[in-house]
Amino acid sequence: MAKMEVKTSLLDDMIGVGDMVLLEPLNEDSFIDNLKKRFDHSEVYTYIGSVVISINPYRPLPIYTPEKVEEYRNRNFYELSPHIFALSDEAYRSLRDQDKDQCILITGESGAGKTEASKLVMSYVAAVCGKGAEVNQVKEQLLQSNPVLEAFGNAKTVRNDNSSRFGKYMDIEFDFKGDPLGGVISNYLLEKSRVVKQPRGERNFHIFYQILSGASEDFLCKLKLERDFSRYNYLGLDSARVNGVDDAANFRTVRNAMQIVGFMDHETQSVFEVVAAVLKLGNIEFKPESRVNGLDESKIKDKNELKEICELTGIDQSVLERAFSFRTVEAKQEKVSTTLNVAQAYYARDALAKNLYSRLFSWLVTRINESIKAQTKVRKKVMGVLDIYGFEIFEDNSFEQFIINYCNEKLQQIFIELTLKEEQEEYIREGIEWTHIEYFNNAIICDLIENNQTGILAMLDEECLRPGTVTDDTFLEKLNQVCATHQHFESRMSKCSRFLNDTSLPHSCFRIQHYAGKVMYQVEGFVDKNNDLLYRDLSQAMWKASHALIKALFPEGNPAKINLKRPPTAGSQFKASVATLMKNLQTKNPNYIRCIKPNDKKAAHIFNDALVCHQIRYLGLLENVRVRRAGYAFRQAYEPCLERYKMLCKQTWPHWRGPARAGVEVLFNELEIPEEEFSFGRSKIFIRNPRTLFKLEDLRKQRLEDLATLIEKIYRGWKCRTRFLLMKKSQIVIAAWYRRYAQQKKYQKIKSSAIIVQSYIRGWKARKLLRELKHQKRCNEAATIIAAYWHGTQVRREYRKFFRANAGRKIYEFTLQRLMQKYFLEMKNKMPSLSPIDKNWPARPYLFLDSTHKELKRIFHLWRCKKYRDQFTDQQKLIYEEKLEASELFKDKKALYPASVGQPFQGAYLEISKNPKYKKLKDAVDEKIIIAEVVNKINRANGKATSRIFLLTKNNVLLADQKSGNIKSEVPLGDVTKVSMSSQNDGFFAVHLKEGSGAAVKGDFLLSSDHLIEMATKLYRTTLSQTKQKLNIEISDEFLVQFRQDKVCVKFIQGSQKNGNIPTCKRKKQSAS
C-alpha cells in the first residue's frame, strides 16, 4: 500500500459503519442495511467492539495476500479497516506479550465460512510467528492436519460444498517467544448417520469419493473397490459430482498431508482399508427366512461382498455372518441368543458402519494429536480455535439439531457472560463506575435442556434406561408431564391449553424457544439416536479381526473385559463434552468471529436480506451491540485520541507538551462537550453516545479541510518564493554567460576584420606579382613566336624547292586525319543509351565515312547487348532463350505471336502441388512438370470442345480430366512427330503422333489453348532436349489430322464477328462421294 494510503484509524474512509457499536439509529433494518452496504463494496468484515462479523463472499478477494499480513502485523485493533487478520493479530500479541491464553470462537450456520475463517486464523498466526526448521515443521503439521480432517469429517450439503459435519476445537501451544510448539485437537459429535443415509442433494463424507476418483487402479484392486460410484448403496448418486471440486486432486492432497503430519505407510493403508470396508458394508443385503419354531430370521443374499469385507478386515466370515443374524443378550450369568429379522439385520449393519467410521475418525484425531503435540515439558501458552456448527433450523429437525442447538445455547451463554465480564473488568480497570446492564439471560433455556433432574436430556436418558416398552411417543409424553409449565417449551400434548389448537405444531413434535428463535423438533428417532447401540456380537466380531486398527477400535469386544454396564448415551456424552469445553473456554480470553451466509445459492454479489436477518437474530448480534453500548459506546486510549483530534483546539495544536490525558481534557473542555457524554478512565477516554463521536469526526473533517487549505496556501507561497529565487539566480547566471558571450563575439568580429584586411593586402600583393609574371611570360612567348616564325621563314626559303612536288598529298592526308579526329571526338559526345532497343544513332557527317559509320553502329550494338546480357540470372537467361526460340519459330509466321511477346512464360498455371483438388493427379505424376495448363480438346466426332489438363514433363505429354484429375492420355515425347497450327490469331494446334505407336490408336490430338506460343515453344525445346531431334512446327491454314483410320483436313477460315473474337470449330459434313 502506498504511504499516502495508509490508514491511521478505523474511521478513515469508512464505508457505512465499520463498528456496529457506532451505528445510529440501532435497529434491525439499519443493522442489515449497513452490512449490505459494506458487502456491496467488498467489505466482508465488520466489528461489534472486538467481535468480528464475517460475511461469506463466495469468491476470492485480494485481501489475504502476504502484503495484507504485513499490513495488519503489530497494529492496533481499531487502526485499520475491519479484518479477520486484525483479530488474529490482537489475540496472538495478547498471548505472546501479556501471557494471556486465548481462544477464538468461530460460529455460524453451514456455508457461512467457518472452516475458511479458521484456516485464515491459523495461516496468519503461522505467518507472523517465528521462523526456523523445527518451527516451520510444527507449523506445517498444524496446517496440514486440516486437509485430513476435512476429507474424513466434511461433506457436501445443500448449503455448503465443504460443510464440516463435526465440531473441532484446536489448542495451539506456544513457547515464551510466541513460537508454536504443537497442538491438541478435540472433536465433537461427528454426524455419523450421514455414513448410511444422506438427504437428497447431499453427499457422503468426501473421503469415499476421493478414494474412488483419485486412487490408482492397483490401489483400488487392493481395497477391492471399483471406480463406479453407482456400485455402492451408501453413496448418493444425485450429487456424486460437485462443480469446481476435483476429488482426484484432493485425494493426492490428503495422502501428502497424512505423510507430512506423520502417518506411517502401513497406517495410511489400514485407514483406507477401513474406509473401503465401511463402503462395502452398504452393499450387504438380507432376505427373510422362517425357522421351524416360527421365528423370522435373516440371511445374507450375496456373500461375495461379505467375503471381500472379511478379507479386508481379517475377520472369519462365519463369525461376521452370525453377528449379522443373531444377537446375544447377557444378564449376570445367563446368555440369551435371539435371531434378527431383516429390519434388525439392516439396523445392525448400519450401526456397525456408523460406529466403524465414527471410531476411525476419533482414532485419526488421536493419531494427529500424537504427531502435533508439544515435545517439550516447558510452560506453554495456548491459543484455542473453535470451529463448530452454528445454530440449525431445518424443516425437519431431529436429535442432531437438538444437540447442536444446545451447544450453541451454551456458547451464547458463555459469550454473554464473558462479554459482560470483559466490559466490567475494563470499567473497573479504568476506574469507571459500573452500572448493571439489562440483557436476555438464556440460562433458563440451558437449564431446560441440561438440568440433571428435569432437563430434556435427563428425561431422554431416563426413558432410554427404564425397563419396559420405550418409544419416542413415551418420551414425548414424559416431556409433556415434566416440562409443560416451562415458558420456553411448547407441545400440543402438554397440559398448557394455549397450544391445543396450534395447527403449526404436530402432535409428534415439541418446540423450544431458543435465544435465536423457535425450533420445532420431531421426536422420531430421539431414543434410538440417543441409545446409539451396537450389538455386542458385532463388537466381539470386530475385536476378533486380524486387522490391527479395527481390533484397536473395538476394545469392548474383548471377552476378557466384558462389561455388562450399559454404555453412556450419546446425549450424556455430548453434555459432558460441552461442559468440558465451556470450562476450557472460561479459562481463556475469548475472541469471537460470527460468520454469516449472504444467500442460499452459494453465489457471489447476492445479499438476501431475509436470510441475513434470520442469522442476525439467532446469532444474537443486536443483543451483542446493546450489551456493548449499554455503558459507553466508544473508548480509546488518550494518546491516539489526542493525536486524532488535537487539531480541533488551538492549545493542543500542533504540539501538546504535557500528559496526553491533560491534553484530552483541555480539548473536550474547549469543544464544550457535555460532561455526561464522556468519562475519563485511567488510560482511556470513554464516550457514551455514538453521536458525540460522529460530531468529533465531522469537526475533524472540517478542520482537516481548513488545514488542507492552509497547507495548500503556505505550499503555494513557498513554491512561488522558491521559483522567484531560482529565477533570480538563473537571471544572474544567464547575464554573466551573456556578457561573456558578447565579449567573445566582439573579439571574434575584430579578429575577423583584421584577417580580412590582411587577406586583401596579401591578395593585392599577389595580383601585382601575378601581373608582373604574366607580362614577363608574354614577353618571352612573343620573343619565342617571333623567333619561330623567323626560323620558319628561313627554313622555307632554304627548302622550298623540295616541298612543291608532294604538297597536295601531304595537305590531303593532313586534312583527312583532322576530319577523322573530329569525327571520333564528336561520336564520343553523341553516343546513344545502353538499351538494346534504342535504335538512335548519330547522323553520318561525311560520305567517305559511310562504311566506318555502319561498322561502328554494329560493334556498339553488339557490345551493349553483351553488357545487357551479363546482367541476367540463369533463370532469366532461360526465359529469354525460350522467348528467342519462340521468335525464331513464330515471328512473322503466326499472327498470335506479337501478343505473346510481352507475356512471361509461367509454365505451371494450375499450381498442382498446392491445390488439394489435384492431389490425386500430383501423386500419379512423379516427374517434374514443365507446363500445366487447361486446354480445350476438340472432339473427333462432333467438333465440340472438352476441358482437359495439359501436362508436359521431361519425357511425356499427358491429358487429364479437369474435374476428377484422372489421366486420360499419356504420350511419350518420342511419339510426337509434328505440331501443326494456323497462321491466324487463334489458339488451335494439332499434335501429330507417330503412326503405329500405342498413343496413336485414336489418332492425333486437336487442341485449343490461350498460351499456344508458350506451349509449342516448351514442347519444341523439351523434345529437342530429350530426343536430340527438332520437332517439326508446321504453320499453315490447312493441314491434315489423323482421326482413328481417317485423315481429316483442318482448314482455318476468317469468320464473321457475330460471335466476337472467340474462335470456333465446326466439322463440315462430307458428301456421299
Side-chain angles (χ1 to χ4, degrees):
M1 184 179 284
K3 195 169 184 179
M4 63 182 296
E5 296 175 352
V6 173
K7 295 184 179 181
T8 59
S9 173
L10 168 71
L11 302 171
D12 289 334
D13 302 327
M14 188 167 57
I15 298 172
V17 177
D19 190 343
M20 289 293 189
V21 175
L22 305 177
L23 185 64
E24 279 291 331
L26 177 62
N27 53 54
E28 197 171 76
D29 292 337
S30 63
F31 195 99
I32 296 173
D33 289 343
N34 187 56
L35 286 179
K36 185 174 182 180
K37 182 177 181 180
R38 292 178 61 77
F39 179 79
D40 292 340
H41 289 81
S42 298
E43 294 285 345
V44 296
Y45 296 111
T46 308
Y47 291 155
I48 301 178
S50 60
V51 178
V52 176
I53 301 175
S54 171
I55 301 181
N56 193 344
Y58 287 117
R59 60 190 174 99
L61 294 176
I63 58 175
Y64 308 108
T65 60
E67 292 77 13
K68 277 288 181 183
V69 172
E70 289 301 318
E71 182 182 340
Y72 280 86
R73 187 173 185 173
N74 294 328
R75 302 292 286 271
N76 184 276
F77 186 75
Y78 294 102
E79 190 172 343
L80 299 174
S81 299
H83 201 292
I84 195 172
F85 286 169
L87 180 136
S88 304
D89 186 74
E90 183 78 11
Y92 176 70
R93 286 192 293 113
S94 297
L95 176 138
R96 182 191 63 191
D97 302 335
Q98 302 176 20
D99 281 344
K100 292 183 178 179
D101 288 350
Q102 303 289 317
C103 65
I104 299 177
L105 280 66
I106 306 172
T107 57
E109 72 172 46
S110 180
K114 300 187 300 298
T115 302
E116 289 302 317
S118 67
K119 290 180 186 176
L120 289 171
V121 171
M122 294 178 65
S123 64
Y124 179 85
V125 173
V128 300
C129 64
K131 302 293 187 292
E134 293 184 4
V135 173
N136 288 339
Q137 182 181 359
V138 172
K139 290 193 291 187
E140 187 67 14
Q141 286 185 335
L142 289 173
L143 293 175
Q144 291 300 326
S145 65
N146 279 324
V148 179
L149 294 179
E150 284 185 14
F152 287 86
N154 288 23
K156 188 264 181 189
T157 67
V158 292
R159 298 187 176 184
N160 186 5
D161 291 343
N162 187 32
S163 176
S164 298
R165 306 318 298 163
F166 69 104
K168 182 179 75 172
Y169 177 75
M170 173 182 281
D171 269 335
I172 308 173
E173 299 172 337
F174 298 84
D175 63 10
F176 70 97
K177 301 189 301 294
D179 295 340
L181 297 173
V184 178
I185 299 173
S186 302
N187 66 298
Y188 301 95
L189 193 66
L190 177 73
E191 188 188 14
K192 56 186 178 182
S193 60
R194 180 171 293 272
V195 173
V196 300
K197 184 179 180 182
Q198 307 90 42
R200 180 174 296 276
E202 298 189 3
R203 294 205 314 177
N204 211 321
F205 292 101
H206 292 328
I207 190 62
F208 295 115
Y209 305 92
Q210 291 174 359
I211 288 180
L212 298 181
S213 300
S216 64
E217 294 294 340
D218 291 340
F219 192 66
L220 288 178
C221 185
K222 290 180 182 178
L223 298 180
K224 305 186 183 304
L225 295 176
E226 298 179 21
R227 206 172 292 280
D228 185 9
F229 294 162
S230 62
R231 288 275 293 108
Y232 303 101
N233 296 332
Y234 280 166
L235 300 184
L237 298 181
D238 54 341
S239 298
R241 303 288 181 186
V242 181
N243 293 333
V245 176
D246 188 347
D247 289 317
N250 290 340
F251 179 71
R252 293 189 290 270
T253 302
V254 170
R255 296 204 67 170
N256 182 58
M258 293 178 75
Q259 186 177 2
I260 293 173
V261 170
F263 282 81
M264 307 299 289
D265 290 342
H266 71 276
E267 291 177 323
T268 305
Q269 179 69 24
S270 296
V271 168
F272 290 133
E273 286 173 351
V274 174
V275 173
V278 171
L279 200 56
K280 296 183 74 64
L281 273 173
N283 291 350
I284 295 179
E285 296 182 349
F286 301 93
K287 59 183 179 180
E289 282 192 6
S290 297
R291 301 182 68 181
V292 178
N293 56 8
L295 295 176
D296 291 336
E297 67 175 13
S298 61
K299 292 292 183 182
I300 297 174
K301 289 183 180 180
D302 185 0
K303 297 184 180 181
N304 287 330
E305 294 286 352
L306 181 67
K307 179 182 177 183
E308 291 181 353
I309 293 173
C310 292
E311 291 174 357
L312 274 175
T313 58
I315 301 174
D316 185 271
Q317 184 174 342
S318 60
V319 172
L320 187 57
E321 184 176 0
R322 175 175 175 79
F324 279 132
S325 302
F326 294 88
R327 178 187 179 188
T328 302
V329 179
E330 297 185 21
K332 294 183 180 181
Q333 302 299 323
E334 297 181 2
K335 290 185 179 180
V336 178
S337 180
T338 60
T339 59
L340 300 178
N341 57 31
V342 172
Q344 292 171 332
Y346 277 117
Y347 173 84
R349 180 201 68 177
D350 290 345
L352 177 60
K354 290 187 291 184
N355 273 272
L356 192 56
Y357 191 82
S358 175
R359 297 183 189 206
L360 172 65
F361 186 77
S362 299
W363 180 88
L364 281 171
V365 173
T366 305
R367 180 64 183 83
I368 291 173
N369 286 337
E370 290 177 5
S371 295
I372 66 176
K373 69 180 179 180
Q375 302 298 323
T376 60
K377 301 295 183 180
V378 298
R379 181 177 176 275
K380 309 176 188 69
K381 305 174 184 179
V382 178
M383 177 185 288
V385 180
L386 178 64
D387 173 11
I388 201 163
Y389 13 65
F391 202 87
E392 291 189 352
I393 304 176
F394 299 144
E395 290 185 6
D396 297 326
N397 301 288
S398 187
F399 180 74
E400 291 84 1
Q401 283 69 45
F402 176 75
I403 291 295
I404 289 171
N405 294 342
Y406 161 61
C407 179
N408 278 270
E409 286 285 356
K410 295 294 290 183
L411 288 174
Q412 176 69 7
Q413 184 182 25
I414 195 172
F415 170 70
I416 296 294
E417 290 176 0
L418 292 178
T419 301
L420 290 175
K421 180 182 177 183
E422 182 183 2
E423 285 282 295
Q424 186 175 10
E425 287 178 352
E426 184 173 20
Y427 278 40
I428 295 172
R429 188 169 57 248
E430 293 293 329
I432 304 296
E433 183 180 354
W434 171 257
T435 56
H436 179 70
I437 297 174
E438 294 294 335
Y439 67 96
F440 171 69
N441 189 346
N442 67 337
I444 186 172
I445 303 175
C446 295
D447 185 71
L448 170 65
I449 297 173
E450 67 181 6
N451 188 282
N452 290 331
Q453 280 78 34
T454 60
I456 295 177
L457 286 177
M459 296 298 102
L460 181 60
D461 286 349
E462 183 179 328
E463 192 69 11
C464 290
L465 296 175
R466 75 174 177 83
T469 303
V470 177
T471 64
D472 296 319
D473 292 333
T474 60
F475 164 63
L476 182 59
E477 290 177 5
K478 194 175 191 69
L479 287 184
N480 291 332
Q481 295 173 4
V482 177
C483 305
T485 59
H486 199 285
Q487 58 182 342
H488 291 274
F489 179 84
E490 302 174 4
S491 172
R492 287 280 292 275
M493 302 299 292
S494 67
K495 299 178 181 179
C496 187
S497 60
R498 71 179 188 274
F499 302 119
L500 293 177
N501 298 321
D502 188 354
T503 56
S504 64
L505 183 62
H507 290 280
S508 61
C509 299
F510 66 91
R511 188 159 55 201
I512 296 178
Q513 186 174 350
H514 291 278
Y515 77 92
K518 292 184 178 181
V519 183
M520 184 174 65
Y521 300 100
Q522 294 182 349
V523 295
E524 182 182 356
F526 261 63
V527 174
D528 285 342
K529 292 176 181 178
N530 188 51
N531 274 325
D532 193 23
L533 287 178
L534 177 67
Y535 297 150
R536 184 174 288 112
D537 301 76
L538 289 172
S539 299
Q540 293 175 351
M542 293 295 106
W543 187 84
K544 292 178 182 178
S546 59
H547 195 284
L549 177 56
I550 292 181
K551 187 167 186 171
L553 295 180
F554 293 88
E556 75 276 13
N558 187 351
K561 298 180 181 180
I562 292 179
N563 186 1
L564 299 181
K565 185 179 179 181
R566 189 183 182 95
T569 62
S572 61
Q573 290 180 21
F574 188 73
K575 177 182 173 183
S577 299
V578 170
T580 304
L581 176 64
M582 297 301 118
K583 185 177 180 180
N584 191 359
L585 294 179
Q586 285 177 341
T587 63
K588 296 178 173 61
N589 185 49
N591 302 271
Y592 298 96
I593 301 174
R594 303 296 207 182
C595 298
I596 291 178
K597 181 169 63 173
N599 59 77
D600 278 328
K601 299 179 181 179
K602 295 179 277 190
H605 306 293
I606 298 178
F607 190 94
N608 188 321
D609 291 14
L611 179 64
V612 173
C613 177
H614 171 67
Q615 295 173 80
I616 288 172
R617 288 174 182 172
Y618 77 64
L619 287 173
L621 298 184
L622 276 175
E623 185 76 14
N624 189 359
V625 177
R626 292 190 180 100
V627 169
R628 183 77 183 188
R629 288 179 54 164
Y632 292 90
F634 183 77
R635 71 285 317 266
Q636 190 174 27
Y638 289 122
E639 288 80 3
C641 180
L642 180 61
E643 185 67 26
R644 185 168 183 82
Y645 301 113
K646 65 181 180 179
M647 72 286 296
L648 301 180
C649 177
K650 293 181 179 180
Q651 300 178 48
T652 57
W653 177 258
H655 300 291
W656 174 255
R657 301 299 180 185
R661 171 170 177 165
V664 174
E665 290 177 354
V666 170
L667 174 65
F668 274 57
N669 290 332
E670 179 73 19
L671 295 175
E672 297 181 354
I673 298 176
E675 293 184 0
E676 63 272 12
E677 287 297 321
F678 63 90
S679 184
F680 293 106
R682 292 190 175 92
S683 63
K684 295 180 181 178
I685 176 72
F686 287 74
I687 297 176
R688 186 177 301 277
N689 201 307
R691 286 192 296 273
T692 304
L693 179 65
F694 292 141
K695 178 183 176 181
L696 287 174
E697 284 297 313
D698 291 339
L699 292 173
R700 179 178 181 271
K701 184 177 179 182
Q702 181 62 43
R703 181 60 177 156
L704 286 177
E705 292 177 359
D706 297 340
L707 288 175
T709 304
L710 177 62
I711 293 170
E712 185 179 11
K713 181 180 71 173
I714 295 173
Y715 171 73
R716 286 178 176 174
W718 170 83
K719 187 176 180 181
C720 289
R721 284 193 300 275
T722 304
R723 187 169 182 270
F724 166 74
L725 293 174
L726 182 61
M727 290 179 67
K728 183 178 179 182
K729 183 179 178 181
S730 302
Q731 185 269 335
I732 295 172
V733 173
I734 292 170
W737 278 89
Y738 177 74
R739 285 194 293 271
R740 176 185 174 187
Y741 169 75
Q743 291 297 323
Q744 285 178 342
K745 292 292 288 183
K746 185 177 180 181
Y747 166 75
Q748 292 291 342
K749 189 174 182 181
I750 295 173
K751 182 179 178 181
S752 176
S753 300
I755 292 172
I756 292 172
V757 172
Q758 288 177 350
S759 65
Y760 272 102
I761 293 173
R762 290 192 186 100
W764 172 76
K765 287 183 178 182
R767 285 191 295 275
K768 182 179 178 182
L769 179 60
L770 179 61
R771 283 194 300 272
E772 292 175 355
L773 291 174
K774 284 184 176 180
H775 178 71
Q776 184 180 355
K777 181 179 179 182
R778 282 197 296 271
C779 290
N780 291 337
E781 287 178 349
T784 302
I785 291 172
I786 292 170
Y789 272 96
W790 169 251
H791 288 303
T793 303
Q794 291 297 100
V795 171
R796 282 191 293 275
R797 284 178 185 176
E798 183 69 27
Y799 291 97
R800 184 174 295 168
K801 58 183 176 182
F802 299 107
F803 290 156
R804 288 176 180 172
N806 297 317
R809 186 173 60 81
K810 293 288 186 181
I811 291 170
Y812 172 76
E813 291 177 355
F814 177 78
T815 303
L816 192 63
Q817 184 178 0
R818 292 294 296 171
L819 290 174
M820 290 290 288
Q821 185 180 5
K822 182 181 179 181
Y823 168 72
F824 283 114
L825 289 174
E826 289 178 351
M827 285 292 291
K828 178 182 177 182
N829 298 325
K830 295 181 179 179
M831 293 296 287
S833 68
L834 295 178
S835 174
I837 62 174
D838 189 356
K839 299 185 181 297
N840 294 326
W841 187 249
R844 180 191 63 195
Y846 307 105
L847 184 60
F848 73 91
L849 293 173
D850 184 58
S851 58
T852 303
H853 193 69
K854 291 180 179 179
E855 185 63 18
L856 280 175
K857 180 180 180 181
R858 187 184 69 80
I859 293 171
F860 177 76
H861 181 68
L862 292 176
W863 174 78
R864 68 181 177 182
C865 286
K866 181 180 182 304
K867 293 288 285 183
Y868 184 75
R869 290 196 302 274
D870 290 343
Q871 300 175 4
F872 293 163
T873 62
D874 293 340
Q875 185 176 2
Q876 288 175 325
K877 287 180 181 179
L878 181 62
I879 293 173
Y880 280 103
E881 285 176 3
E882 290 181 344
K883 285 289 185 179
L884 185 60
E885 194 83 57
S887 176
E888 294 175 355
L889 292 173
F890 303 109
K891 187 175 180 181
D892 299 330
K893 299 178 183 178
K894 178 71 174 174
L896 188 63
Y897 171 73
S900 70
V901 173
Q903 299 176 354
F905 290 174
Q906 297 181 12
Y909 290 95
L910 297 183
E911 296 184 344
I912 290 177
S913 60
K914 297 181 180 179
N915 195 334
K917 177 180 177 181
Y918 302 120
K919 184 177 183 302
K920 181 177 180 181
L921 181 59
K922 177 179 176 296
D923 295 339
V925 179
D926 56 357
E927 296 179 293
K928 179 181 177 182
I929 297 175
I930 299 172
I931 187 168
E933 165 68 337
V934 175
V935 300
N936 290 322
K937 178 177 176 294
I938 308 304
N939 193 296
R940 299 180 178 94
N942 54 20
K944 292 184 179 179
T946 306
S947 294
R948 291 285 186 268
I949 297 175
F950 182 91
L951 298 178
L952 174 61
T953 65
K954 289 185 177 180
N955 297 308
N956 299 290
V957 174
L958 298 96
L959 288 177
D961 186 80
Q962 185 184 7
K963 294 182 179 179
S964 64
N966 295 327
I967 297 175
K968 296 293 187 178
S969 302
E970 183 174 359
V971 180
L973 289 178
D975 292 347
V976 180
T977 58
K978 183 173 65 171
V979 174
S980 299
M981 63 187 72
S982 73
S983 61
Q984 304 296 326
N985 195 18
D986 61 88
F988 289 98
F989 68 99
V991 179
H992 300 274
L993 306 180
K994 185 188 294 183
E995 294 184 5
S997 64
V1001 175
K1002 294 184 180 180
D1004 301 334
F1005 295 112
L1006 183 59
L1007 309 171
S1008 172
S1009 172
D1010 293 337
H1011 302 90
L1012 170 60
I1013 302 299
E1014 180 181 357
M1015 294 179 68
T1017 303
K1018 287 184 179 290
L1019 182 59
Y1020 176 84
R1021 286 175 60 83
T1022 307
T1023 304
L1024 179 62
S1025 172
Q1026 295 299 316
T1027 63
K1028 308 302 180 183
Q1029 295 179 357
K1030 291 185 178 180
L1031 180 65
N1032 184 15
I1033 304 294
E1034 179 185 0
I1035 300 176
S1036 173
D1037 289 345
E1038 185 173 345
F1039 52 81
L1040 294 176
V1041 179
Q1042 183 74 34
F1043 281 178
R1044 295 188 182 275
Q1045 303 301 323
D1046 301 330
K1047 286 187 179 290
V1048 177
C1049 177
V1050 179
K1051 188 174 184 180
F1052 292 83
I1053 301 173
Q1054 187 70 35
S1056 63
Q1057 296 296 320
K1058 65 181 180 178
N1059 293 326
N1061 294 326
I1062 302 174
T1064 56
C1065 180
K1066 295 182 179 180
R1067 179 156 186 167
K1068 189 175 180 180
K1069 294 182 180 180
Q1070 299 179 352
S1071 61
S1073 61

